[in-house]
Amino acid sequence: MMKYLYILLVGVFFFSACENDMSEVNRLFSKDETLVETAREVEMLYSDSSILKLRIVTPTLLRHLDKRERFQEFPDGLLVEFFSENGQEVMGRLTANYAQRYDNDGRFVVRDSVVWVGSQGERLETEELIWEEEKDKVSTNKFVVVRRPDEVIYGHGFESNQKFTEWRIRAIEGRIRANDLTKDFKN
């Protein structure tokens, strides 16, 4: 009889001790913390039909899981490498100190010391670029500097394809070779 009483008391104690105080749980984990996933030293590869298209490397990736607006945040910057049609060689590089990628519309917004280097050695410097993946378009309304081997072009506003092979600067100024004027400032 004593054995059964002991088992009953232990069972009652055990089941009463398993109750969680919800205020204590809420104190330990804020709602914001449960809506964000964190990853360190991340490398993402994007391919199409098994051909490498781009590579993204970042020290920190935060995935915000809000149902209305899911996005990825790169608070410590990122490096994006664009690959050739066959996926074998790097055709361009984009670096920035901060970025966000919005899942709903496939839009990257990169900010703070943005540098984009194309396959022909062109170098774009600006404070913000908006990259619309589906439209194959990169643009900004901010001040830009494009450096080429023999010229420097300044402007306010920029549009390009994501390979940096066809680009246009609005409100242009700077040192430009005269024979480029016949190209309507297009590369």
Side-chain angles (χ1 to χ4, degrees), residues 87-104:
Q88 298 298 312
E89 63 182 300
V90 175
M91 299 301 291
R93 285 187 173 79
L94 170 72
T95 59
N97 290 337
Y98 179 83
Q100 290 181 333
R101 181 185 180 278
Y102 296 92
D103 294 348
N104 293 345

Side-chain angles (χ1 to χ4, degrees), residues 29-42:
F29 299 102
S30 73
K31 184 177 180 182
D32 292 338
E33 289 176 322
T34 59
L35 293 177
V36 177
E37 294 177 343
T38 303
R40 305 269 184 230
E41 302 303 323
V42 176

